[in-house]
Amino acid sequence: MSDGTPADLFFDAAINLLQRVREEEAGTIATAGTLLADTIAAGGRLFAFGAGHSSLAAQDVVYRAGGLALMNLLAVPGVVGVDVTPATLGSALERVDGLASAVLDTSPVRAGDALLIISLSGRNALPVEMAMSARTRGVKVIGVTSVAYASETTSRHASGTFLKDHCDVVLDSKIAVGDAELTLDTIPAPFAPASTVVTAALMQAVMATAAATLADRGIEPPLLRSGNVDGGHEWNGRVMREYGDRIFYRH
């Protein structure tokens, strides 16, 4: 690790990654945002899924001030976040064949909807199977992943494929395999992961694109406002009444 405090070096690494994503993924961000706008305009619903820490970026766009009200979390019990005990259970469940199909069978996801699947490695059975199964149901899939894993690791799905192989749009977070940006001679392992920062920014860039695309077409984007600003609750109530049949986190 070169000169600078660890905090400075982490910020530098995160900023560099964000700049790369901004420049190199501009086209796919625009495509993904347009796909979401098309889905909303056609009466479809939006869903986001992530396992473990990848769920953080998914949760960040659900019931979010300034976000699209139609974004719903596709939850898999024991997999979303690290709130299960032991936390390692979530990692184990990501490798279980058949789980994704069972989740989709019992979810409200249907043909004409759009599903964002976030998986840093994209190699585990759950995200791969979820993308494959969703597409067979007529669902558009946007994958948010680090493409580097596909060339530097092996798939844990029976097909030998990765999440990126089963998506309508792939957003590459550019995160290096291992998800740790810093090294120090006195520390035996690399540290300071940046995937959450970058993936969350990617997701919000797509949401912003979708909202602006709808507005360009003369459609008011179904956005939520903060409940902590005057009039926020009234605004959100109107949006939820208007789009209640496509919002599942309020039932």
Side-chain angles (χ1 to χ4, degrees):
M1 197 161 68
S2 59
D3 294 340
T5 69
D8 287 336
L9 294 170
F10 176 77
F11 281 120
D12 288 342
I15 290 168
N16 288 337
L17 283 164
L18 288 169
Q19 191 63 45
R20 280 192 65 195
V21 166
R22 179 182 185 177
E23 294 172 356
E24 298 172 21
E25 296 300 300
T28 51
I29 289 169
T31 300
T34 301
L35 189 157
L36 295 188
D38 290 344
T39 302
I40 293 172
R45 295 86 60 80
L46 310 181
F47 296 87
F49 167 78
H53 288 94
S54 290
S55 72
L56 296 174
Q59 293 178 62
D60 191 50
V61 296
V62 176
Y63 188 49
R64 189 71 163 84
L68 293 169
L70 305 193
M71 185 60 68
N72 301 279
L73 185 68
L74 182 61
V76 180
V79 170
V80 178
V82 292
D83 57 343
V84 295
T85 303
T88 51
L89 174 62
S91 298
L93 289 174
E94 282 190 74
R95 305 180 190 184
V96 174
D97 292 330
L99 179 57
S101 294
V103 168
L104 288 172
D105 283 342
T106 56
S107 79
V109 179
R110 68 187 184 193
D113 293 344
L115 171 61
L116 292 104
I117 301 176
I118 306 166
S119 173
L120 180 61
S121 72
R123 68 187 299 217
N124 288 311
L126 182 58
V128 175
E129 181 190 330
M130 184 170 287
M132 295 173 70
S133 185
R135 292 182 87 191
T136 64
R137 298 161 194 258
V139 176
K140 295 293 186 181
V141 175
I142 299 171
V144 187
T145 187
S146 169
V147 172
Y149 277 82
S151 59
E152 299 181 38
T153 68
T154 57
S155 171
R156 289 178 175 145
H157 187 262
S159 67
T161 59
F162 288 75
L163 169 61
K164 73 174 186 64
D165 300 316
H166 306 284
C167 299
D168 296 280
V169 184
V170 176
L171 298 170
D172 184 3
S173 63
K174 317 293 180 182
I175 300 295
V177 173
D179 191 17
E181 294 299 320
L182 305 183
T183 58
L184 198 61
D185 291 342
T186 55
I187 299 177
F191 60 105
S195 61
T196 303
V197 173
V198 177
T199 304
L202 261 174
M203 293 286 285
Q204 293 296 350
V206 171
M207 300 303 125
T209 301
T213 301
L214 287 170
D216 287 343
R217 299 176 184 178
I219 302 171
E220 180 187 330
L223 296 169
L224 294 173
R225 300 191 68 181
S226 171
N228 296 312
V229 299
D230 292 343
H233 286 300
E234 291 75 16
W235 172 283
N236 293 341
R238 175 184 65 83
V239 172
M240 289 187 180
R241 284 191 299 274
E242 185 174 347
Y243 292 94
D245 60 334
R246 293 194 258 174
I247 297 173
F248 299 95
Y249 51 79
R250 65 189 293 268
H251 299 305

